[in-house]
Amino acid sequence: MSQVTSSPTVAVPTVFVEHLDPVEGVEVLPYDPRDLQTPPGGGRDVDVLSLPFTAGRWMTRLDEIAGLRGVVLASAGFEHALRYLPAGVDLANAVGVHDTATAEMALTLMLASQREIPGYVLAQSEGRWDRSGAGQRRSLADSRVVVLGYGGIGRALAQRLVAAECEVVAVASRERAGDDLVERVHGIDRLTDLLPGADVLAVAVPLTDATRGLVDATALAALPDDALVVNVARGPVVDNEALQRECAAGRLRAALDVTDPEPLPEGHPLWSTPGVLVSPHVGGGTPASYPRMGRYLSRQLTAYRDHGRLDHVVATG
């Protein structure tokens, strides 16, 4: 990357501007992502472009933005942006912004599935007081939860699972020492060995070439009967067809905030498979995301001003 200008410019969606901390020496150029006629920056050179939560059309038109050197996504996932990244432009994802909200969603899906909340919602809509199975619903407490992906989201989820009195088994790309939540972080090569003892498998890894299809038919077959698969990562990390077959057979259950394909088409078997709970990829989206994104973006702009490069770069075009 070439040397930063003395007063770098950054184009920021208007919804984020009010949440930015002042960064001396950086010029903020607000833009409306819905305006597809006026490029971010209004035609001026832009050192750094901040994209909105729903990246939109400007993500596909990065080559039209003059002077661009860095792009900051508002999502933890970044695979969708790689194909549009111009040569020499750095891409950073939203590290830490969505950890809490996504972990909350994963915990919500677990609890709803274990306690069979969808059945109570249906009974309420029909005005039925249905106590069948009372006292025999599954609990999250005392469950063994394998957290696949022990980054920001995985660790935030582990904090909540420990508070819920679960045994947490952490799995990451490589084995390493544990922390205050887990005794050991296991390498991903141990995954199949760890699954037979799991009550819940929570998937929270980024989508990369190495993780695409990671939870395949073999991994699913290693899970014990009645285990719950929770996916808050990306749909293609899990073989959704194999998972649907396991759930349709009544052997496994699933709670999915992400699917493959996405959106899940009308009539797709996952909609109607018993034991499957689907939410439409909303785990990271809460009002808390806006101030968190503002603080993160402020830190990124400070790093760019001071060092001429964004932090947490995941790819360079």
Side-chain angles (χ1 to χ4, degrees):
M1 178 178 289
S2 57
Q3 186 176 2
V4 66
T5 59
S6 57
S7 181
T9 55
V10 53
V12 178
T14 52
V15 293
F16 293 161
V17 171
E18 65 179 292
H19 300 291
L20 284 174
D21 297 326
V23 181
E24 185 177 353
V26 173
E27 184 178 4
V28 174
L29 306 174
Y31 77 97
D32 182 353
R34 298 167 299 180
D35 181 356
L36 301 181
Q37 303 303 316
T38 306
R44 294 179 55 185
D45 281 7
V46 171
D47 293 290
V48 176
L49 172 67
S50 166
L51 288 171
F53 290 128
T54 302
R57 290 291 300 279
W58 283 114
M59 181 184 73
T60 69
R61 297 167 60 183
L62 296 177
D63 57 354
E64 299 179 27
I65 301 172
L68 189 63
R69 294 169 174 166
V71 175
V72 181
L73 294 172
S75 61
F78 56 85
E79 74 286 342
H80 57 294
L82 295 177
R83 72 180 73 175
Y84 305 113
L85 198 60
V89 175
D90 287 341
L91 178 70
N93 62 334
V95 173
V97 173
H98 304 291
D99 291 359
T100 296
T102 306
E104 284 179 350
M105 189 66 183
L107 183 63
T108 298
L109 290 170
M110 286 183 200
L111 287 168
S113 295
Q114 294 294 85
R115 301 304 293 268
E116 301 183 34
I117 298 301
Y120 294 131
V121 173
L122 178 61
Q124 179 180 349
S125 70
E126 297 173 350
R128 290 187 291 109
W129 183 265
D130 184 0
R131 297 191 74 249
S132 58
Q136 299 181 22
R137 305 293 187 187
R138 304 170 191 85
S139 176
L140 193 54
D142 299 333
S143 295
R144 189 170 191 253
V145 182
V146 172
V147 177
L148 176 56
Y150 199 62
I153 293 171
R155 194 173 188 283
L157 176 57
Q159 289 177 312
R160 288 153 179 79
L161 292 171
V162 169
E165 302 178 33
C166 298
E167 176 191 354
V168 178
V169 179
V171 180
S173 58
R174 58 178 178 82
E175 184 176 1
R176 61 180 186 265
D179 52 25
D180 58 318
L181 298 173
V182 297
E183 293 183 2
R184 193 79 186 162
V185 179
H186 301 276
I188 209 163
D189 57 317
R190 292 280 323 280
L191 178 61
T192 305
D193 298 331
L194 298 169
L195 292 179
D199 297 295
V200 180
L201 169 62
V203 185
V205 292
L207 177 61
T208 65
D209 289 341
T211 63
R212 186 179 295 274
L214 177 63
V215 184
D216 58 10
T218 301
L220 294 170
L223 286 165
D225 291 354
D226 199 46
L228 174 67
V229 177
V230 177
N231 190 0
V232 292
R234 287 292 188 267
V237 174
V238 176
D239 183 336
N240 284 253
E241 291 185 5
L243 178 60
Q244 191 275 329
R245 289 194 298 269
E246 291 274 20
C247 294
R251 206 186 73 76
L252 297 180
R253 297 171 294 121
L256 310 172
D257 187 50
V258 291
T259 59
D260 182 27
E262 207 172 282
L264 197 61
E266 181 180 354
H268 192 283
L270 281 172
W271 286 122
S272 55
T273 300
V276 176
L277 174 60
V278 177
S279 57
H281 200 155
V282 293
T286 73
S289 301
Y290 291 89
R292 288 170 186 252
M293 185 62 197
R295 291 192 294 270
Y296 175 71
L297 189 54
S298 298
R299 294 193 297 271
Q300 283 284 34
L301 299 184
T302 300
Y304 187 83
R305 180 199 63 191
D306 294 345
H307 307 295
R309 185 175 174 85
L310 297 168
D311 288 337
H312 307 296
V313 171
V314 293
T316 301

